[in-house]
Amino acid sequence: MLFAQRLRYIVKRNMGNSGSHCPGIPSGKGPNLVGCVDLMDDLTIQGSFLRLYYPCEQGGKQRQPLWIPRHEYYYGLADFLKYNRKFVEYTLNYLYGSYRVPVEWDAPFKSDGKYPLVVFSHGLGAFRTLYSAICIEVASRGFVVAAVEHRDGSASATYYFEEKTKTVNDVGEAASSTISTLPLDQLQMKWLYYKPLKGREQEFLLRNVQVHQRAEECIRTLNLLTDINMGKPVHNIFPLKFDFTKMKDSLDLQKVTIMGHSFGAATVIDSLSKDHRFRGTVHQSFPDFTFLTGTFFGRIFQLKGTIDPHIAIDISNKASLAFMQRHLGLEKDFDQWDPLIDGKGEHIIPGTNIDLPLTNSEPKQ
């Protein structure tokens, strides 16, 4: 009880000192209202799992989804941060458990021409909801955004399904075709938490395997959205009303890009090398935590940078939109932010602020 009272005091004190912005994930600044659904096309770990952000229809009383959808994600964040699970669950649930994403959950898709498609890859220790601010802003500008939840052990947590009494075939593997046809009440969630390095395990060996799996998951996501665009039926595990048939012929698959943050950026590079359909790409100031965390807890959990998060994300979003217009040939007004691509603008550091070793072609001082 004493800890809870102290926590409440610290939270209130820090929120009062967190600047002029009230804590919360920012809404999109573009002309489109943004809708959101989760899509899992297969119960097994081989399937795709993503959150879809899209321009949606006005009207109705759609609810806003919770930012952290299940408490198991707190456990995963604890494992990634190397803190006690119960402590992190209590603390983060108290701080963030009531926050909701400013989108229209399960809202009807707005059929209005063809939208460019963006596949988004999260960083280490994240999951599909932690970059909502970026995905919402891009969707509000007239894109469909598919935020992948990776199942390679780099997400803090994710899940798939197994049969309660597992069916095993003659090679000792779960019969995935059988599992995929079972009702949810005959299945159980199988949680996959962040995979840390073990002992003297070399990080490159682990990350190399993971990044290749992540790239394949991004490609599967693109294939899934391609099927949806062709009007092929899609089976969503989640019991939502969203009508995927309205997305037929609504994606401009000649204008597909992939974005990522941190380890997601490495995923972008690998995806670009594997699939020619992807044409472009975009640290702590990027995940949603930076908008919801006061200075005190931001420093403890290393969730917050020194720059105002609203300034940082605005620069990033504008630069990303300008980049996509330049390389996808979009007929928008995003070129007004072209100077950001060239490293020009307030708060922009030209080149890099990291000391890089000299190459053989560079003169020594």
Side-chain angles (χ1 to χ4, degrees):
M1 181 63 70
L2 181 61
F3 172 76
Q5 292 174 343
R6 178 63 177 165
L7 178 61
R8 291 188 184 96
Y9 169 74
I10 292 173
V11 171
K12 290 180 180 178
R13 183 185 67 186
N14 279 276
M15 289 204 172
N17 297 328
S18 59
S20 59
H21 296 286
C22 294
I25 298 168
S27 301
K29 297 182 178 66
N32 294 288
L33 185 67
V34 178
C36 175
V37 291
D38 284 338
L39 171 58
M40 187 186 295
D41 71 332
D42 191 313
L43 294 166
T44 70
I45 198 171
Q46 286 78 28
S48 295
F49 188 13
L50 58 99
R51 173 156 288 190
L52 199 66
Y53 302 82
Y54 53 90
C56 70
E57 299 283 0
Q58 296 277 353
K61 294 183 178 180
Q62 264 69 31
R63 56 194 173 91
Q64 295 183 338
L66 285 171
W67 181 53
I68 306 293
R70 300 184 65 89
H71 76 93
E72 287 88 351
Y73 287 102
Y74 295 124
Y75 294 159
L77 289 168
D79 293 349
F80 176 70
L81 296 170
K82 299 180 180 179
Y83 280 89
N84 177 271
R85 278 188 170 189
K86 288 297 182 182
F87 168 75
V88 170
E89 180 192 18
Y90 181 88
T91 304
L92 296 188
N93 185 54
Y94 181 84
L95 291 174
Y96 309 119
S98 63
Y99 281 112
R100 293 184 175 272
V101 183
V103 293
E104 302 291 304
W105 179 251
D106 202 14
F109 183 79
K110 180 182 178 182
S111 299
D112 185 21
K114 288 183 176 289
Y115 300 110
L117 174 64
V118 176
V119 176
F120 189 92
S121 175
H122 63 71
L124 280 177
F127 44 92
R128 71 189 186 284
T129 72
L130 291 194
Y131 295 85
S132 299
I134 294 174
C135 296
I136 292 169
E137 173 64 14
V138 173
S140 77
R141 301 285 182 174
F143 293 78
V144 170
V145 184
V148 180
E149 186 158 292
H150 291 293
R151 290 165 161 174
D152 61 319
S154 65
S156 60
T158 188
Y159 64 93
Y160 55 98
F161 291 90
E162 286 185 346
E163 188 179 356
K164 290 181 178 178
T165 303
K166 186 182 291 185
T167 301
V168 179
N169 60 21
D170 56 2
V171 295
E173 298 176 343
S176 59
S177 60
T178 302
I179 292 174
S180 299
T181 60
L182 292 174
L184 286 177
D185 60 1
Q186 295 183 32
L187 300 164
Q188 60 186 1
M189 280 186 173
K190 180 69 174 180
W191 282 90
L192 177 65
Y193 291 105
Y194 178 75
K195 182 180 180 181
L197 291 171
K198 295 181 180 179
R200 296 183 178 180
E201 184 179 13
Q202 295 183 25
E203 184 167 17
F204 173 79
L205 297 179
L206 173 62
R207 302 298 181 223
N208 187 52
V209 172
Q210 288 178 325
V211 78
H212 285 300
Q213 179 176 332
R214 283 166 144 257
E216 292 301 327
E217 288 171 339
C218 289
I219 292 169
R220 284 207 303 267
T221 295
L222 177 54
N223 291 337
L224 176 61
L225 270 296
T226 299
D227 287 345
I228 291 173
N229 190 61
M230 294 173 63
K232 293 183 179 180
V234 59
H235 175 59
N236 191 5
I237 302 304
F238 303 110
L240 301 174
K241 297 180 180 179
F242 186 80
D243 185 3
F244 285 96
T245 63
K246 289 191 68 177
M247 294 183 66
K248 182 179 179 181
D249 296 325
S250 290
L251 300 178
D252 190 343
L253 297 180
Q254 300 301 313
K255 297 176 180 177
V256 178
T257 191
I258 180 167
M259 299 171 65
H261 172 240
S262 190
F263 196 42
T267 306
V268 166
I269 295 171
D270 195 40
S271 300
L272 289 169
S273 70
K274 292 177 182 294
D275 197 314
H276 69 278
R277 292 175 295 175
F278 291 124
R279 299 178 61 186
T281 179
V282 274
H283 219 307
Q284 292 310 68
S285 295
F286 295 94
D288 295 335
F289 274 114
T290 192
F291 302 103
L292 310 177
T293 305
T295 303
F296 180 79
F297 282 102
R299 295 291 184 266
I300 287 180
F301 293 113
Q302 300 179 0
L303 301 173
K304 198 174 185 70
T306 56
I307 189 174
D308 183 321
H310 292 269
I311 293 175
I313 205 69
D314 195 48
I315 292 171
S316 174
N317 287 335
K318 287 177 178 177
S320 299
L321 290 165
F323 182 92
M324 287 190 285
Q325 171 153 336
R326 178 181 293 184
H327 294 281
L328 298 181
L330 304 178
E331 296 181 0
K332 302 283 187 179
D333 62 350
F334 304 154
D335 55 351
Q336 64 182 298
W337 301 310
D338 274 353
L340 295 175
I341 303 177
D342 302 318
K344 299 176 183 178
E346 190 177 5
H347 305 291
I348 302 295
I349 300 174
T352 177
N353 63 341
I354 300 173
D355 292 328
L356 299 174
L358 293 174
T359 65
N360 293 334
S361 61
E362 294 174 314
K364 294 183 179 179
Q365 300 294 327

